[in-house]
Amino acid sequence: MRKKIVAGNWKMNTTVPEGIELAKAVVAKSAEVPADVKLIIATPFTHLYPVAEVVKGTPVALSAENCADKEKGAYTGEVAANMLASVGCEYTILGHSERRQYYGETDEKLVEKTKLALANGLKVILCVGENLDEREAGKHFDVCEAQIKNVLYNFTAEDMKNIVIAYEPVWAIGTGKTATSEQAEEIHAFIRKVVADKFGAQVAEDTTILYGGSCKPSNAKELFAQKDIDGGLIGGAALKADDFIAIALSY
Ligand code: PGA
């Protein structure tokens, strides 16, 4: 049985004291969420150490939003996977469209990042998704397929146990424009097939595929009701503990 996950991606928001308060509020409400829905919060690097203290021993898991594509050394400004593991991260997001778009994150770099994350015991939330032009040109299946093949086809069925996929159509991120549940389900089912083509039906069946892009309390229920949607990667709505928990309760 694959895991249901609701993960908050805080992006570059909140100061450290604000982040600690937000994490405490999420933890305080986490008891309301059924045990089969895993809650994850992904915070900026600066917040990980203090937030790890807040979530320790609670059902809330900690994630980073990125990690370096190098193991260690003279890479000023980068944060290595083993550093993330050492502060208590269980996950890291990789390949978010904002990183692909603004920071030159290529599929090649994502292979290296994923290798290092897994080698250091982190689980990976790998983001894929098409932009508006690609969607309008009807290329969304091809784009997602290529992103998955370029990155995940370099890994094994065993590795896939520690990899979550997040489908995030770029045109839906932070825009208030959500993919309809039919649009999302169609591509989630397709992504599962791309996983099955390489790793077999069982691995595909066990892979958690999250939807991300303007997911909020008002639309989460319909999205999560779809057969191949196993939860959400939540941006804006994760900055309010009440909304984040309300989304998790939509299962
Ligand atoms: P959003 O962001 O929920 O604010 O659209 C989602 C994401 O980028 O992960």
Side-chain angles (χ1 to χ4, degrees):
M1 259 297 274
R2 54 187 181 256
K3 271 197 199 105
K4 299 173 181 178
I5 294 177
V6 174
N9 174 14
W10 292 3
K11 309 192 178 185
M12 197 173 74
N13 292 297
T14 74
T15 62
V16 170
E18 287 165 354
I20 292 171
E21 286 314 304
L22 177 54
K24 283 184 178 164
V26 170
V27 164
K29 289 170 188 295
S30 61
E32 297 169 25
V33 176
D36 64 337
V37 179
K38 189 165 181 75
L39 293 175
I40 302 173
I41 51 181
T43 82
F45 289 136
T46 43
H47 300 40
L48 291 171
Y49 193 77
V51 170
E53 288 299 308
V54 176
V55 302
K56 198 184 271 175
T58 79
V60 181
L62 185 63
S63 176
E65 299 175 10
N66 179 32
C67 80
D69 61 342
K70 301 286 192 300
E71 195 178 344
K72 65 175 180 176
Y75 301 103
T76 302
E78 289 295 308
V79 177
N82 73 335
M83 299 173 186
L84 300 178
S86 75
V87 292
C89 278
E90 199 181 317
Y91 289 82
T92 184
I93 296 173
L94 290 177
H96 191 281
S97 60
E98 288 150 14
R99 298 218 49 90
R100 292 179 189 259
Q101 192 178 346
Y102 307 134
Y103 300 99
E105 191 139 301
T106 59
D107 286 339
E108 292 70 37
K109 279 188 189 162
L110 287 169
V111 173
E112 297 311 308
K113 290 182 180 208
T114 303
K115 273 185 196 159
L116 287 163
L118 295 177
N120 285 283
L122 297 171
K123 299 184 183 86
V124 169
I125 302 173
L126 179 77
C127 302
V128 300
E130 79 286 356
N131 64 31
L132 186 59
D133 288 348
E134 291 161 343
R135 163 68 62 168
E136 284 175 346
K139 291 190 187 144
H140 41 296
F141 293 106
D142 293 347
V143 170
C144 293
E145 181 171 14
Q147 287 172 337
I148 288 176
K149 284 189 170 169
N150 291 344
V151 181
L152 294 185
Y153 277 26
N154 294 287
F155 294 88
T156 63
E158 194 57 27
D159 293 331
M160 287 301 291
K161 290 183 181 156
N162 293 313
I163 295 174
V164 170
I165 299 171
Y167 168 63
E168 297 206 310
V170 179
W171 47 273
I173 295 177
T175 57
K177 229 186 188 184
T178 324
T180 64
S181 50
E182 292 76 24
Q183 281 174 325
E185 170 59 21
E186 175 183 52
I187 204 136
H188 276 237
F190 173 76
I191 289 170
R192 204 176 296 289
K193 186 186 162 301
V194 176
V195 172
D197 286 347
K198 166 79 176 170
F199 302 105
Q202 192 58 51
V203 171
E205 199 50 40
D206 292 344
T207 299
T208 297
I209 307 178
L210 308 180
Y211 169 78
S214 298
C215 186
K216 41 191 183 258
S218 58
N219 59 24
K221 206 175 187 73
E222 203 193 323
L223 287 160
F224 296 172
Q226 304 303 312
K227 184 168 128 321
D228 290 292
I229 301 183
D230 309 314
L233 181 55
I234 321 299
L239 296 171
K240 288 197 186 118
D242 285 345
D243 286 353
F244 182 60
I245 296 296
I247 290 171
L249 288 173
S250 302
Y251 244 125

